[in-house]
Amino acid sequence: MAFAQQNITTGANPGTDPIRVMVVDDAVVIRGLLTRWLDSDPGLSVVGSHRNGKLAVDDIEKSNPDVVVLDIEMPEMDGMTALPLMLAKKRDLVVIMASTLTRRNAEISLKALSLGAADYVPKPESTSEVTTSVDFRRELIDKVKALGIRARRMRGPGRTMRAATNAGRTVSQAPVGRLANTREPLRMAQGGTGAAAAPAAAFKLRAYAAVKPRILAIGSSTGGPQALQQVMKDIGTAIQDVPVVITQHMPPTFTAILAEHVGKAAMRPAKEGAHGDVLQPGNIYVAPGGKHMILEKEAGAVKICLTDGEPVNFCKPAVDPLFDSVAKIYGSAALGLILTGMGHDGAAGVKTIAAGGGSVLTQDEATSVVWGMPGAAANTGMCSDVLPLPEIGPKVARVLKGNAR
């Protein structure tokens, strides 16, 4: 299990209609199964079910789905051909790609994210595995609900922007809802407008450490691949003097390809972390799917250690074990970053890094695909900044150079 899983037990939102879902898959058994799973949740309603992309594209305007679960390989029109046509018909449509865990499909899924898909769900290899996979069913429903809820909220008039003061400091943000992936109901405006009903939340911020960072550790999940590529590109040459370690909630195969994409964006060497790798400045290491990646110090060298323990926060790899090990070795010279993602993985690690004297930044709600992990991090009161995505890379670059202002 290489992804964050939540049990979103509430419906779509109090006082609103269920999230409208379209299922597109050429396999009749899989299409029927996904439809039954989704329809069985009171917060979801399947409004369309199609065997190929052409039929789905033609039905977008009539069925008006909030979310489409889109298979990749289909006759007549495949998912990658259908994706831009769907988004052209409905700009705020949420598309979740569904594919098996092959290298080709992982490549296609990551390309789909760059073309506008919101996320992906890895399908088990066989129909029998799909039928019996509790993890797949849970992940599918959770992602459809979390992303559908966010899309509904973003259409409302209550979308708000970040406001901040300088250090010493609090960040105020008026969220239009509670974290989309918690078991708490979303906090929506009265009257069903989608605007914020509650006062702005103020996040307590810590000053950055006076010590220049010697490592950058990043945690991300839903929406993470695109966010990671932007951040690493924006950081630029500032990472040439420090190693970068990343935990992105992803299954095997996907993480190796993610490392390649992140490396291209950063124009730095990048790879899946391997057991025994000695960290080198300017290199990027991505935790492999299905393994926890932690750091250990041996004879003055910091090495990667891969473990096959139980999932942490329902995730494997998980952010917390990585952050804990980073804090233990680097102390006040640790710099952490939490990007978009479901769940609360990383929040405990943020506290550990802060307790060791290090610094952590996190992404704001407005630019997060799902504000679960970064929201949980912000709410610890242990972050040094809560920033929109375009500001994160430049800020990290300044901090790495010893200028946190």
Side-chain angles (χ1 to χ4, degrees):
M1 185 161 49
F3 43 80
Q5 296 180 353
Q6 297 22 269
N7 289 316
I8 306 178
T9 55
T10 60
N13 283 309
T16 65
D17 294 331
I19 293 164
R20 300 169 63 85
V21 187
M22 178 183 286
V23 177
V24 188
D25 196 302
D26 64 320
V28 63
V29 174
I30 300 298
R31 192 168 67 248
L33 184 65
L34 301 190
T35 297
R36 290 193 297 275
W37 284 352
L38 294 165
D39 253 342
S40 69
D41 190 291
L44 304 174
S45 175
V46 176
V47 296
S49 176
H50 300 291
R51 67 178 181 271
N52 63 52
K54 185 179 187 305
L55 293 172
V57 170
D58 291 344
D59 189 38
I60 289 292
E61 292 168 324
K62 179 182 177 182
S63 292
N64 190 28
D66 298 304
V67 180
V68 174
V69 179
L70 182 62
D71 189 20
I72 290 177
E73 297 177 337
M74 294 177 290
E76 192 166 354
M77 182 183 288
D78 63 23
M80 290 299 288
T81 304
L83 173 62
L85 300 177
M86 290 178 171
L87 295 175
K89 288 198 170 189
K90 186 173 182 179
R91 291 180 59 189
D92 60 354
L93 181 66
V94 172
V95 179
I96 300 174
M97 307 303 293
S99 67
T100 52
L101 291 175
T102 64
R103 181 175 176 88
R104 178 176 178 274
N105 283 344
E107 285 274 19
I108 292 172
S109 294
L110 289 178
K111 182 179 180 182
L113 297 181
S114 70
L115 296 177
D119 205 356
Y120 60 88
V121 284
K123 289 195 298 187
E125 293 287 342
S126 66
T127 298
S128 62
E129 288 176 313
V130 171
T131 303
T132 58
S133 177
V134 175
D135 291 343
F136 173 60
R137 177 176 181 171
R138 184 185 298 118
E139 184 184 19
L140 173 70
I141 292 173
D142 285 357
K143 286 189 173 182
V144 168
K145 294 181 77 171
L147 293 170
I149 287 168
R150 181 182 187 272
R152 287 264 183 100
R153 292 181 344 198
M154 296 301 280
R155 292 187 202 122
R159 184 177 180 180
T160 59
M161 300 299 291
R162 168 187 165 269
T165 65
N166 283 325
R169 311 164 352 183
T170 63
V171 168
S172 293
Q173 189 164 302
V176 291
R178 296 293 294 174
L179 305 187
N181 52 337
T182 66
R183 291 190 175 96
E184 300 175 20
L186 294 173
R187 184 176 63 206
M188 302 297 289
Q190 299 301 317
T193 65
F203 302 116
K204 180 182 176 183
L205 298 179
R206 300 173 67 251
Y208 282 93
V211 177
K212 189 175 178 180
R214 292 190 291 116
I215 190 168
L216 173 61
I218 305 175
S220 54
S221 184
T222 308
Q226 292 304 108
L228 282 166
Q229 290 176 66
Q230 179 172 340
V231 167
M232 298 309 297
K233 179 181 178 182
D234 292 345
I235 293 174
T237 59
I239 64 169
Q240 63 187 5
D241 296 326
V242 301
V244 180
V245 289
I246 298 171
T247 290
Q248 159 73 39
H249 297 158
M250 265 186 165
T253 306
F254 279 68
T255 44
I257 296 169
L258 175 67
E260 295 172 9
H261 286 223
V262 170
K264 289 177 183 177
M267 294 188 293
R268 302 297 307 180
K271 66 188 290 287
E272 269 191 327
H275 191 79
D277 278 349
V278 176
L279 297 194
Q280 300 293 335
N283 285 23
I284 301 166
Y285 306 87
V286 176
K291 301 283 186 181
H292 292 306
M293 185 173 80
I294 62 174
L295 305 183
E296 294 182 342
K297 194 168 185 178
E298 181 181 325
V302 179
K303 298 182 178 182
I304 287 176
C305 177
L306 300 182
T307 69
D308 197 22
E310 291 298 312
V312 177
N313 303 317
F314 303 102
C315 307
K316 187 179 176 182
V319 179
D320 279 337
L322 176 64
F323 274 27
D324 289 347
S325 66
V326 166
K328 181 178 179 180
I329 294 171
Y330 289 92
S332 59
L335 179 63
L337 170 61
I338 297 289
L339 296 173
T340 175
M342 291 176 63
H344 58 83
D345 187 29
V350 167
K351 294 179 182 179
T352 306
I353 289 178
S359 307
V360 182
L361 302 86
T362 192
Q363 188 173 348
D364 74 351
E365 181 177 17
T367 62
S368 294
V369 174
V370 177
W371 204 60
M373 288 168 54
N379 278 296
T380 65
M382 297 295 173
C383 293
S384 296
D385 258 320
V386 181
L387 298 174
L389 185 61
E391 295 182 23
I392 290 175
K395 181 67 176 188
V396 169
R398 292 196 297 274
V399 175
L400 290 175
K401 292 175 181 177
N403 179 14
R405 286 191 251 174

mmCIF file of all heavy atoms in Angstrom, residues 173-191:
data_model
loop_
_atom_site.group_PDB
_atom_site.id
_atom_site.type_symbol
_atom_site.label_atom_id
_atom_site.label_comp_id
_atom_site.label_asym_id
_atom_site.label_seq_id
_atom_site.Cartn_x
_atom_site.Cartn_y
_atom_site.Cartn_z
ATOM 1 N N GLN A 173 -5.769 32.601 6.897
ATOM 2 C CA GLN A 173 -6.321 32.025 5.686
ATOM 3 C C GLN A 173 -7.765 31.692 5.988
ATOM 4 O O GLN A 173 -8.059 31.096 7.006
ATOM 5 C CB GLN A 173 -5.531 30.765 5.325
ATOM 6 C CG GLN A 173 -5.848 30.191 3.986
ATOM 7 C CD GLN A 173 -4.771 29.231 3.567
ATOM 8 O OE1 GLN A 173 -3.613 29.578 3.469
ATOM 9 N NE2 GLN A 173 -5.150 28.009 3.318
ATOM 10 N N ALA A 174 -8.665 32.101 5.128
ATOM 11 C CA ALA A 174 -10.074 31.833 5.364
ATOM 12 C C ALA A 174 -10.485 30.612 4.576
ATOM 13 O O ALA A 174 -10.852 30.695 3.417
ATOM 14 C CB ALA A 174 -10.915 33.038 4.936
ATOM 15 N N PRO A 175 -10.390 29.421 5.156
ATOM 16 C CA PRO A 175 -10.701 28.220 4.405
ATOM 17 C C PRO A 175 -12.188 28.101 4.147
ATOM 18 O O PRO A 175 -12.998 28.466 4.983
ATOM 19 C CB PRO A 175 -10.202 27.091 5.320
ATOM 20 C CG PRO A 175 -10.225 27.673 6.689
ATOM 21 C CD PRO A 175 -9.976 29.140 6.537
ATOM 22 N N VAL A 176 -12.517 27.590 2.964
ATOM 23 C CA VAL A 176 -13.927 27.398 2.663
ATOM 24 C C VAL A 176 -14.439 26.091 3.238
ATOM 25 O O VAL A 176 -15.615 25.788 3.122
ATOM 26 C CB VAL A 176 -14.159 27.427 1.137
ATOM 27 C CG1 VAL A 176 -13.928 28.818 0.611
ATOM 28 C CG2 VAL A 176 -13.257 26.443 0.438
ATOM 29 N N GLY A 177 -13.609 25.303 3.827
ATOM 30 C CA GLY A 177 -14.056 24.078 4.446
ATOM 31 C C GLY A 177 -12.981 23.499 5.328
ATOM 32 O O GLY A 177 -11.850 23.930 5.301
ATOM 33 N N ARG A 178 -13.364 22.510 6.120
ATOM 34 C CA ARG A 178 -12.370 21.784 6.898
ATOM 35 C C ARG A 178 -11.530 20.945 5.942
ATOM 36 O O ARG A 178 -11.802 20.875 4.759
ATOM 37 C CB ARG A 178 -13.067 20.868 7.917
ATOM 38 C CG ARG A 178 -13.859 21.635 8.945
ATOM 39 C CD ARG A 178 -12.963 22.447 9.845
ATOM 40 N NE ARG A 178 -12.126 21.586 10.652
ATOM 41 C CZ ARG A 178 -11.166 22.045 11.436
ATOM 42 N NH1 ARG A 178 -10.892 23.335 11.487
ATOM 43 N NH2 ARG A 178 -10.456 21.215 12.164
ATOM 44 N N LEU A 179 -10.520 20.284 6.445
ATOM 45 C CA LEU A 179 -9.707 19.452 5.584
ATOM 46 C C LEU A 179 -10.602 18.441 4.883
ATOM 47 O O LEU A 179 -11.396 17.758 5.505
ATOM 48 C CB LEU A 179 -8.638 18.726 6.406
ATOM 49 C CG LEU A 179 -7.749 19.644 7.244
ATOM 50 C CD1 LEU A 179 -6.645 18.818 7.859
ATOM 51 C CD2 LEU A 179 -7.184 20.777 6.423
ATOM 52 N N ALA A 180 -10.425 18.340 3.582
ATOM 53 C CA ALA A 180 -11.353 17.554 2.781
ATOM 54 C C ALA A 180 -11.296 16.064 3.073
ATOM 55 O O ALA A 180 -12.158 15.331 2.660
ATOM 56 C CB ALA A 180 -11.064 17.791 1.298
ATOM 57 N N ASN A 181 -10.284 15.603 3.776
ATOM 58 C CA ASN A 181 -10.119 14.173 3.931
ATOM 59 C C ASN A 181 -10.227 13.715 5.367
ATOM 60 O O ASN A 181 -9.844 12.623 5.706
ATOM 61 C CB ASN A 181 -8.747 13.774 3.390
ATOM 62 C CG ASN A 181 -7.685 14.632 4.023
ATOM 63 O OD1 ASN A 181 -7.998 15.718 4.482
ATOM 64 N ND2 ASN A 181 -6.465 14.153 4.063
ATOM 65 N N THR A 182 -10.730 14.545 6.251
ATOM 66 C CA THR A 182 -10.887 14.120 7.628
ATOM 67 C C THR A 182 -12.250 13.498 7.816
ATOM 68 O O THR A 182 -13.102 13.553 6.940
ATOM 69 C CB THR A 182 -10.749 15.315 8.588
ATOM 70 O OG1 THR A 182 -11.836 16.207 8.357
ATOM 71 C CG2 THR A 182 -9.428 16.034 8.391
ATOM 72 N N ARG A 183 -12.493 12.950 8.997
ATOM 73 C CA ARG A 183 -13.812 12.379 9.260
ATOM 74 C C ARG A 183 -14.788 13.454 9.721
ATOM 75 O O ARG A 183 -15.954 13.186 9.941
ATOM 76 C CB ARG A 183 -13.696 11.281 10.317
ATOM 77 C CG ARG A 183 -12.971 10.043 9.823
ATOM 78 C CD ARG A 183 -13.100 8.923 10.820
ATOM 79 N NE ARG A 183 -12.522 7.699 10.311
ATOM 80 C CZ ARG A 183 -11.295 7.302 10.573
ATOM 81 N NH1 ARG A 183 -10.517 8.018 11.336
ATOM 82 N NH2 ARG A 183 -10.843 6.171 10.084
ATOM 83 N N GLU A 184 -14.300 14.676 9.906
ATOM 84 C CA GLU A 184 -15.190 15.757 10.283
ATOM 85 C C GLU A 184 -15.944 16.237 9.051
ATOM 86 O O GLU A 184 -15.424 16.211 7.941
ATOM 87 C CB GLU A 184 -14.392 16.938 10.845
ATOM 88 C CG GLU A 184 -13.593 16.602 12.068
ATOM 89 C CD GLU A 184 -12.741 17.778 12.512
ATOM 90 O OE1 GLU A 184 -13.066 18.902 12.111
ATOM 91 O OE2 GLU A 184 -11.774 17.552 13.244
ATOM 92 N N PRO A 185 -17.195 16.705 9.200
ATOM 93 C CA PRO A 185 -17.904 17.257 8.056
ATOM 94 C C PRO A 185 -17.251 18.557 7.617
ATOM 95 O O PRO A 185 -16.648 19.262 8.415
ATOM 96 C CB PRO A 185 -19.317 17.518 8.602
ATOM 97 C CG PRO A 185 -19.133 17.643 10.068
ATOM 98 C CD PRO A 185 -17.996 16.735 10.428
ATOM 99 N N LEU A 186 -17.373 18.858 6.338
ATOM 100 C CA LEU A 186 -16.836 20.117 5.844
ATOM 101 C C LEU A 186 -17.587 21.284 6.463
ATOM 102 O O LEU A 186 -18.787 21.225 6.687
ATOM 103 C CB LEU A 186 -16.972 20.184 4.316
ATOM 104 C CG LEU A 186 -16.138 19.162 3.564
ATOM 105 C CD1 LEU A 186 -16.493 19.214 2.094
ATOM 106 C CD2 LEU A 186 -14.670 19.438 3.772
ATOM 107 N N ARG A 187 -16.858 22.381 6.697
ATOM 108 C CA ARG A 187 -17.473 23.572 7.281
ATOM 109 C C ARG A 187 -17.871 24.488 6.137
ATOM 110 O O ARG A 187 -17.049 25.187 5.559
ATOM 111 C CB ARG A 187 -16.457 24.265 8.188
ATOM 112 C CG ARG A 187 -17.011 25.457 8.936
ATOM 113 C CD ARG A 187 -15.967 26.017 9.878
ATOM 114 N NE ARG A 187 -14.814 26.504 9.143
ATOM 115 C CZ ARG A 187 -13.595 26.584 9.648
ATOM 116 N NH1 ARG A 187 -13.351 26.157 10.876
ATOM 117 N NH2 ARG A 187 -12.590 27.057 8.942
ATOM 118 N N MET A 188 -19.135 24.489 5.787
ATOM 119 C CA MET A 188 -19.610 25.248 4.639
ATOM 120 C C MET A 188 -20.502 26.389 5.088
ATOM 121 O O MET A 188 -21.013 26.428 6.193
ATOM 122 C CB MET A 188 -20.406 24.341 3.690
ATOM 123 C CG MET A 188 -19.613 23.147 3.187
ATOM 124 S SD MET A 188 -18.168 23.600 2.206
ATOM 125 C CE MET A 188 -18.993 24.184 0.725
ATOM 126 N N ALA A 189 -20.702 27.327 4.164
ATOM 127 C CA ALA A 189 -21.562 28.472 4.476
ATOM 128 C C ALA A 189 -23.006 28.030 4.603
ATOM 129 O O ALA A 189 -23.453 27.090 3.973
ATOM 130 C CB ALA A 189 -21.440 29.516 3.373
ATOM 131 N N GLN A 190 -23.766 28.729 5.402
ATOM 132 C CA GLN A 190 -25.192 28.479 5.490
ATOM 133 C C GLN A 190 -25.824 28.875 4.155
ATOM 134 O O GLN A 190 -25.422 29.811 3.500
ATOM 135 C CB GLN A 190 -25.809 29.302 6.633
ATOM 136 C CG GLN A 190 -25.232 28.958 7.995
ATOM 137 C CD GLN A 190 -25.435 27.507 8.345
ATOM 138 O OE1 GLN A 190 -26.509 26.978 8.122
ATOM 139 N NE2 GLN A 190 -24.415 26.873 8.887
ATOM 140 N N GLY A 191 -26.835 28.128 3.761
ATOM 141 C CA GLY A 191 -27.502 28.448 2.520
ATOM 142 C C GLY A 191 -26.916 27.735 1.317
ATOM 143 O O GLY A 191 -27.371 27.904 0.211
#
